[in-house]
Amino acid sequence: MSAGRPLTKAERKKLNRAEHEQKIKQDLIAQHGRDLGTFYYWLRIMNIRGTQAYRDGDTQFIRDVALALENVYRRHAG
């Protein structure tokens, strides 16, 4: 519940998506280590939400994910 009231359908969907993505991130980090797991997580997020963002015309989301991927890569590659 949020603010003393039940969540709306849209709020529940958003919460469930966030919880699912967090579980994916934790699983990938546990399996591959922090850096590689984070990299795989961002690839997965781009796959899950990138197509829909592209269809909706949200190019900022795609730029943000690409920047996150590049940051993980640069940190790992040195």
Side-chain angles (χ1 to χ4, degrees):
M1 293 179 78
S2 176
R5 62 173 176 77
L7 296 174
T8 64
K9 185 176 180 180
E11 290 170 335
R12 258 193 336 268
K13 186 175 180 179
K14 189 175 182 178
L15 178 66
N16 289 341
R17 176 180 285 174
E19 289 174 350
H20 179 67
E21 289 174 359
Q22 186 63 29
K23 183 179 181 326
I24 290 171
K25 184 176 185 177
Q26 291 170 350
D27 291 347
L28 289 172
I29 289 174
Q31 185 176 3
H32 299 287
R34 189 176 65 86
D35 287 338
L36 190 56
T38 303
F39 184 76
Y40 285 155
Y41 166 73
W42 282 111
L43 284 175
R44 185 86 182 264
I45 292 301
M46 181 59 124
N47 188 28
I48 291 170
R49 293 175 45 195
T51 302
Q52 184 162 8
Y54 176 75
R55 287 181 189 147
D56 293 341
D58 185 7
T59 57
Q60 185 60 43
F61 172 78
I62 296 169
R63 283 189 204 110
D64 292 343
V65 172
L67 180 61
L69 284 169
E70 182 180 6
N71 288 339
V72 172
Y73 171 78
R74 287 185 187 276
R75 186 175 34 222
H76 183 67

